Amino acid sequence: MPAKVITVRNISKTFGQVHAVCDLDFEVEEATCFGFLGPNGAGKTTMMKMLYAKCTRDKNCDGTINVFGFDPREHELEIKYLSGVVPQENNLDEELNVVQNLTIYSKFYDIPSAQTNKRIERLLDFLELTEKRKSKIRELSGGMKRRLLIARALINNPRLLILDEPTTGLDPQVRHLVWDKLGQLKKAGTTILLTTHYMEEAFQICDFLILMHKGRKIMQGTPRDLLAKNIEKYVLELPQAETPKISGRGLLSHIRIDESGETARLFSNDIDDLKTVADLFETGRFHLRQANLEDLFLKTTGRVLNDRQ
């Protein structure tokens, strides 16, 4: 059985009247990628910050957090020594170049200079930044800055890598490059925690997911299990104005309809039912596909923005 490196039991966090995290519990196995999925304000980032003591759980909370055998409330430095954190915002030093940013960060871990230089060269090569080693931060693209943040988080060879929306705003090529690098780190034994808004990202790289909404855990499991157990297999998308063509034809008995905006989505486990409906429309007026995590996300959390978004 893989070792459990993080265990969270009945953890809550409030900010004034806002319940950011409510009675959350989960476990993370070693050398896996564990993802927090949910809309803005769901509590994902707050929970992540509690793991490495950037944020503390409520004083009256009788739950527990265990990270590599340490409680963040009592052993903040021990956990940070074992962890690397990639924040949501860019906090690189704009006045320094790439190597200097990494070198200064290495001082926090008291890494000898000779060892630091070797690690920096290895990380720059790993994240394909070698040619930019002398570039100032302001000269880097958004994707390069994001990769440099990951390199910085890896300077201490962490056992745990924590990433808060690691690929937000990146183009598809850079996003796939980051996914590939995270997969390599996981194979090498690094445990990865991340929050993301990209459903494809969660499906591609996460071994296990928690779907959160308004601070609470709605469901959890592997991406494929979540889809198999909680939503129909197929979806037909078409203009909502076209749906009157379907009614009265006896085609909807095994179909769930989700209408929002100008699009209607018809869900079914029987693709032939949806093909029969699609035959009523001209090619290009519909899109038949497999259901995905975004469909499950919207089914679970709704399509209307809540007051915490």
Side-chain angles (χ1 to χ4, degrees):
M1 290 288 291
K4 302 289 194 302
V5 296
I6 298 174
T7 303
V8 172
R9 293 283 180 263
N10 305 118
I11 289 298
S12 297
K13 177 64 180 179
T14 57
F15 297 98
Q17 299 299 313
V18 177
H19 295 278
V21 176
C22 305
D23 297 321
L24 195 63
D25 63 87
F26 60 89
E27 293 180 338
V28 180
E29 294 181 350
E30 188 175 25
T32 61
C33 183
F34 187 99
F36 296 90
L37 200 58
N40 290 333
K44 308 182 301 295
T45 296
T46 299
M47 184 61 249
M48 295 262 277
K49 287 182 176 179
M50 283 193 280
L51 294 175
Y52 60 96
K54 181 70 178 292
C55 174
T56 58
R57 59 188 182 269
D58 288 343
K59 291 183 179 179
N60 61 350
C61 173
D62 59 0
T64 60
I65 301 177
N66 185 300
V67 182
F68 295 109
F70 298 108
D71 184 337
R73 182 182 285 173
E74 307 294 336
H75 300 280
E76 175 182 351
L77 291 180
E78 288 86 346
I79 292 173
K80 287 183 175 179
Y81 187 79
L82 295 170
S83 305
V85 179
V86 180
Q88 187 174 349
E89 67 283 353
N90 171 22
N91 59 0
L92 297 165
D93 193 323
E94 298 283 337
E95 300 303 315
L96 303 179
N97 65 30
V98 168
V99 169
Q100 289 168 339
N101 265 273
L102 297 176
T103 301
I104 285 181
Y105 206 72
S106 72
K107 304 300 183 184
F108 297 138
Y109 298 95
D110 199 25
I111 304 171
S113 296
Q115 192 173 349
T116 294
N117 294 336
K118 291 180 180 179
R119 289 189 188 182
I120 288 175
E121 295 307 319
R122 176 175 55 82
L123 288 170
L124 292 180
D125 179 64
F126 177 64
L127 288 156
E128 302 185 19
L129 289 168
T130 300
E131 294 182 358
K132 298 294 182 179
R133 62 191 318 280
K134 295 297 184 180
S135 299
K136 292 290 184 66
I137 301 306
R138 65 174 67 94
E139 299 171 358
L140 303 180
S141 67
M144 292 173 185
K145 291 177 182 178
R146 207 66 190 152
R147 281 181 278 155
L148 181 55
L149 284 169
I150 295 173
R152 191 185 67 178
L154 294 171
I155 197 69
N156 60 320
N157 289 335
R159 293 175 61 190
L160 173 66
L161 180 63
I162 298 174
L163 307 105
D164 196 355
E165 299 183 23
T167 62
T168 297
L170 302 185
D171 61 49
Q173 290 89 347
V174 178
R175 191 178 306 141
H176 280 266
L177 173 64
V178 171
W179 294 354
D180 179 62
K181 300 306 181 183
L182 294 180
Q184 292 179 44
L185 289 169
K186 187 176 66 172
K187 288 180 180 178
T190 305
T191 303
I192 300 172
L193 263 66
L194 65 83
T195 69
T196 181
H197 285 130
Y198 291 114
M199 305 300 143
E200 183 186 0
E201 180 166 89
F203 187 82
Q204 290 292 337
I205 68 175
C206 290
D207 300 294
F208 199 88
L209 287 171
I210 279 185
L211 179 56
M212 296 180 64
H213 189 46
K214 296 185 178 181
R216 297 188 180 277
K217 178 174 65 177
I218 304 302
M219 59 182 66
Q220 64 180 11
T222 68
R224 285 175 174 77
D225 283 348
L226 288 176
L227 288 175
K229 295 176 181 178
N230 296 286
I231 197 166
E232 299 87 347
K233 293 181 180 179
Y234 308 103
V235 55
L236 175 68
E237 296 179 335
L238 48 85
Q240 191 172 143
E242 304 281 6
T243 55
K245 291 183 180 180
I246 308 170
S247 59
R249 295 174 179 261
L251 299 174
L252 301 180
S253 59
H254 302 293
I255 295 175
R256 177 175 64 87
I257 301 181
D258 179 0
E259 296 177 300
S260 62
E262 298 181 354
T263 303
R265 295 170 180 83
L266 283 63
F267 292 87
S268 177
N269 284 316
D270 190 336
I271 194 171
D272 290 331
D273 284 349
L274 296 180
K275 286 180 177 179
T276 299
V277 174
D279 287 341
L280 300 174
F281 304 96
E282 296 178 3
T283 301
R285 299 292 291 171
F286 63 86
H287 178 43
L288 181 59
R289 59 175 174 81
Q290 287 186 312
N292 55 36
L293 279 177
E294 184 166 329
D295 298 313
L296 176 59
F297 178 90
L298 293 172
K299 177 186 177 183
T300 306
T301 63
R303 295 182 181 274
V304 179
L305 297 180
N306 60 57
D307 56 2
R308 291 169 65 178
Q309 291 180 273

